[in-house]
Amino acid sequence: MNNRKGLGWKKWLLIIFSLFLVVIVSFIVWFYVAATINPPQVKDMSALELKRDSVAPNAYKVGDSWLKKNSYGLWEMKLSGDAFELGVKNGMLTKELNEYQEEAFVERIDELVPSKDYLNFLKYFIALFNRNIDENIPLEYQKEIYGVSLFASKQFEYIAPNYHRMINYHGAHDIGHTLQNMSLVGCTAFGVRNSRSEDSTLLIGRNMDFYCGDKFAENKIIVFCKPDSGYNFAYVSWAGMIGVISGMNDQGLTVTLNAAKSPIPTSAKTPVSIIARKILQYASTIDEAFAIAKKYDAFVAEAFMIGSAKDNDIAVIEKTTEDIDLYRPSKDEIILTNHFQGKKFYGSELNQESINGYSTMYRWKRTRQLLDRVDKHNPASFAAILRDTRGMDDKNIGLGNEKAVNQLIAHHSVIFKPQKRQIWLSCSPYQFGAYLCYDLDKIFSDSLVFTDTLYIASETIAQDTLLKTQGYRNFVEYKSFTEKLKKVISGKLKLRFTKDELNIYISLNPEFYYPYFLVGQYYLNVGDLSQAKSFYEDCLNKEIPTTKEVDEVKEKIKFIEQNK
């Protein structure tokens, strides 16, 4: 009798285990089915018959499209064709650059998320979260991304298949800016017209402060695109990216993106760079751009600054995850940092949190101060503002401070002159290199040939004199030491520093708050509470960008005082 009871118990255990196994297997199958993103159907794949020719060092051709590196180190690419053909040509031309770019991106993610287990969790979480991202991207851009993905590196297939990765990377900006809500780092843009412009035409400038490590910004590309549908356009990008962050079309319409504080999204929507791409390709006026933006749901809040030669005006499309507004300035100038300014969203809780707790209003006021110092602006005066590293009233707040217009993290910096179809693009490093001028009327003309110099040499804005100073050399050394110090603090590098070494480190960027914070953290880790408190107190006397960081330093001082 007892034996029969034992067999019954084992039987039920086996049944429960079997059911549990079925549930687990079913979940795994569902996950891979749900998270798998299949490439779009392409009827005409004849573009794959094209071949890439290497015509000179750092110069390649695929049919009538090409990629070359100019003497300033900028990559210039011209593409033409239908959606899939644009992608194939792009992928062929940038094959090595794309691999290098993805390598830089993955390395940066590994630095930010050192835990392999957590990294794997994020990988599957993002795959599940973004499982419907393709349904929110117009078919033509799915085809273009698919064309690029066919030439992506296979070494990263452990993350996901090529197409899956490439399409998800277009949402990286959105996910990144959501995750950075706790420490919002953003871009600065501004524009003038009529009475504030030297020749009365529109002038727009912007810093694109998207930092994914220095390696990620080494190979920026200016792309000149002649699609089969829509307008010809130019945009600043990196290999593998078909979305738009900064661009202008041949109608003199410009688009730039500035992140705003956003709630945590619950599902994938249309990446903001794809919305900007659609605007750039199909809009010629502010109203047309607004109509396009209204059609798509974004899963982060974003401000789209739109300049229009036809309207002789600049406006900002303010878009949240739920609603949209159009902000038009009443004066001949506009400034955009990382908060909304229109009546609909200005008073919202998240927007006020951004204004009061982050650097956005400080940078807005500093930009206002710099704009007011010149009565009538030109590209050179705009470049000077975009390069400015100081705080309010020219206060020295240290190089790399988030409160400065130039935070020394920019992927690129651009100046647009829409009526003349001219773009000035900064060369490395950051905004300090020369700004090269490109004329879209010339570049999209039938007379242009591959061997032509694309930029207009006579319009070049010379590199900043700061590059030749000891202050800049100190900053380069400061950045290098900072990375080493952060690795020691995180435990990834076993090393001890002397007081002299740390004092020399501080002297490399003495007005910046961050080295004081890191040295305080180092001393806290090694148990020298007195030194840690001293450096945290010095940190509080500097210009700290966010209230969150101020509170963090105060909490550390409080902790030390309680544990002495």
Side-chain angles (χ1 to χ4, degrees):
M1 195 72 162
N2 290 335
N3 188 46
R4 284 198 297 271
K5 285 183 179 179
L7 287 173
W9 177 79
K10 290 179 180 178
K11 181 181 178 181
W12 280 109
L13 185 63
L14 183 62
I15 290 171
I16 292 169
F17 176 76
S18 299
L19 287 172
F20 178 73
L21 194 62
V22 168
V23 170
I24 292 297
V25 171
S26 298
F27 175 78
I28 292 171
V29 171
W30 172 83
F31 173 83
Y32 278 101
V33 170
T36 297
I37 299 175
N38 295 313
Q41 295 294 316
V42 178
K43 292 182 179 179
D44 181 6
M45 301 187 75
S46 59
L48 293 174
E49 298 171 10
L50 294 166
K51 302 295 180 185
R52 186 179 81 166
D53 296 318
S54 180
V55 295
N58 294 319
Y60 310 94
K61 292 188 75 175
V62 174
D64 61 352
S65 298
W66 39 259
L67 170 74
K68 61 181 180 177
K69 194 175 190 178
N70 69 27
S71 58
Y72 284 85
L74 281 178
W75 289 95
E76 303 163 336
M77 182 162 66
K78 192 174 183 186
L79 299 171
S80 64
D82 61 28
F84 182 67
E85 185 180 354
L86 288 174
V88 168
K89 289 176 174 178
N90 188 335
M92 283 187 180
L93 289 167
T94 65
K95 179 177 172 63
E96 293 81 8
L97 292 180
N98 196 354
E99 182 171 359
Y100 187 85
Q101 206 72 33
E102 190 166 7
E103 190 177 88
F105 182 73
V106 172
E107 284 177 6
R108 183 63 175 170
I109 296 300
D110 285 342
E111 288 176 15
L112 294 174
V113 189
S115 167
K116 293 296 182 184
D117 290 338
Y118 187 54
L119 201 57
N120 277 327
F121 166 76
L122 283 179
K123 166 184 159 181
Y124 292 114
F125 171 77
I126 290 172
L128 190 60
F129 179 86
N130 269 358
R131 65 189 183 278
N132 299 321
I133 191 172
D134 55 328
E135 297 173 10
N136 293 279
I137 293 177
L139 182 59
E140 64 178 312
Y141 301 140
Q142 291 182 46
K143 291 179 179 179
E144 190 171 343
I145 294 169
Y146 178 43
V148 174
S149 75
L150 293 172
F151 303 91
S153 173
K154 294 187 181 298
Q155 71 163 304
F156 301 106
E157 287 192 328
Y158 71 91
I159 298 174
N162 285 3
Y163 177 68
H164 198 141
R165 293 198 321 277
M166 291 297 110
I167 203 164
N168 269 280
Y169 287 157
H170 283 76
H173 167 84
D174 311 65
I175 294 170
H177 119 48
T178 300
L179 294 176
Q180 287 185 26
N181 265 348
M182 303 306 289
S183 56
L184 186 66
V185 176
C187 311
T188 302
F190 48 93
V192 298
R193 62 174 186 166
N194 299 336
S195 65
R196 298 303 312 278
S197 171
E198 191 174 73
D199 62 1
S200 298
T201 65
L202 292 177
L203 194 63
I204 299 164
R206 79 90 109 251
N207 285 337
M208 200 294 218
D209 291 316
F210 174 76
Y211 186 71
C212 199
D214 290 340
K215 186 176 178 180
F216 189 84
E218 285 178 7
N219 293 302
K220 53 179 165 268
I221 307 171
I222 182 165
V223 184
F224 305 101
C225 188
K226 297 183 73 171
D228 274 8
S229 60
Y231 301 114
N232 299 332
F233 60 93
Y235 65 106
V236 186
S237 189
W238 51 85
M241 176 69 163
I242 71 144
V244 168
I245 307 294
S246 307
M248 179 166 71
N249 67 25
D250 62 6
Q251 303 299 297
L253 183 119
T254 68
V255 182
T256 64
L257 300 183
N258 280 53
K261 196 159 181 61
S262 185
I264 301 298
T266 56
S267 63
K269 299 294 183 183
T270 306
V272 291
S273 68
I274 294 295
I275 298 173
R277 165 69 186 268
K278 191 77 173 182
I279 289 171
L280 197 63
Q281 189 172 342
Y282 291 102
S284 64
T285 66
I286 291 170
D287 286 342
E288 288 174 2
F290 187 63
I292 290 171
K294 286 173 70 174
K295 292 180 181 178
Y296 297 94
D297 291 329
F299 65 93
V300 293
E302 198 80 18
F304 300 74
M305 181 180 276
I306 309 294
S308 169
K310 287 185 177 180
D311 298 312
N312 188 37
D313 201 1
I314 310 167
V316 179
I317 298 172
E318 298 182 339
K319 190 170 180 63
T320 70
T321 55
E322 303 293 337
D323 207 350
I324 192 169
D325 193 20
L326 185 64
Y327 169 68
R328 291 179 183 265
S330 57
K331 299 180 180 179
D332 286 342
E333 61 200 18
I334 190 169
I335 300 170
L336 175 63
T337 49
N338 297 101
H339 61 273
F340 292 138
Q341 301 172 77
K343 292 181 180 179
K344 184 177 283 190
F345 303 129
Y346 183 81
S348 69
E349 184 179 346
L350 280 176
N351 198 53
Q352 287 300 307
E353 185 181 330
S354 183
I355 289 171
N356 296 318
Y358 295 88
S359 67
T360 176
M361 183 54 77
Y362 187 101
R363 276 184 289 115
W364 192 98
K365 290 178 179 178
R366 175 58 176 167
T367 306
R368 158 92 288 135
Q369 192 174 69
L370 293 169
L371 277 172
D372 286 347
R373 289 179 180 176
V374 177
D375 289 334
K376 294 180 180 291
H377 285 276
N378 57 34
S381 69
F382 263 38
I385 295 174
L386 292 166
R387 287 168 167 169
D388 187 74
T389 60
R390 302 224 161 211
M392 291 297 295
D393 303 320
D394 299 324
K395 179 182 177 182
N396 185 348
I397 58 176
L399 292 177
N401 198 311
E402 189 183 320
K403 285 190 167 182
V405 174
N406 177 9
Q407 304 170 35
L408 278 84
I409 61 170
H411 177 272
H412 63 262
S413 180
V414 290
I415 301 167
F416 297 116
K417 209 167 179 54
Q419 274 95 344
K420 294 191 176 181
R421 315 293 193 265
Q422 290 178 326
I423 300 173
W424 280 261
L425 173 59
S426 65
C427 299
S428 296
Y430 316 111
Q431 300 90 311
F432 293 140
Y435 280 81
L436 302 185
C437 178
Y438 294 90
D439 185 324
L440 296 196
D441 289 339
K442 170 191 172 185
I443 288 170
F444 288 122
S445 70
D446 294 333
S447 61
L448 183 77
V449 295
F450 173 72
T451 54
D452 287 348
T453 298
L454 298 192
Y455 61 87
I456 304 170
S458 61
E459 296 286 349
T460 299
I461 299 171
Q463 70 175 26
D464 197 299
T465 55
L466 182 67
L467 282 178
K468 302 295 185 181
T469 66
Q470 185 60 47
Y472 181 73
R473 289 189 287 271
N474 287 347
F475 177 73
V476 174
E477 189 178 344
Y478 155 80
K479 278 191 66 179
S480 176
F481 195 97
T482 296
E483 290 305 309
K484 184 164 61 174
L485 181 55
K486 285 164 70 175
K487 287 179 181 178
V488 170
I489 292 168
S490 68
K492 294 174 71 174
L493 181 63
K494 302 297 182 184
L495 197 65
R496 293 294 292 260
F497 297 108
T498 66
K499 288 184 178 180
D500 285 345
E501 286 176 317
L502 293 173
N503 287 333
I504 290 171
Y505 166 62
I506 291 287
S507 71
L508 295 172
N509 202 359
E511 297 306 319
F512 192 26
Y513 79 99
Y514 194 56
Y516 296 93
F517 175 80
L518 283 183
V519 172
Q521 192 72 7
Y522 172 80
Y523 279 123
L524 184 63
N525 282 9
V526 299
D528 191 337
L529 301 187
S530 178
Q531 284 282 14
K533 182 183 178 185
S534 175
F535 279 97
Y536 284 138
E537 288 173 341
D538 288 341
C539 179
L540 284 178
N541 290 324
K542 302 300 178 183
E543 196 72 62
I544 301 178
T546 71
T547 55
K548 181 193 172 187
E549 289 169 295
V550 171
D551 291 342
E552 183 181 0
V553 176
K554 288 180 178 178
E555 282 297 317
K556 289 183 181 296
I557 293 173
K558 183 179 178 181
F559 170 81
I560 290 170
E561 289 174 344
Q562 291 173 345
N563 289 274
K564 266 189 174 181

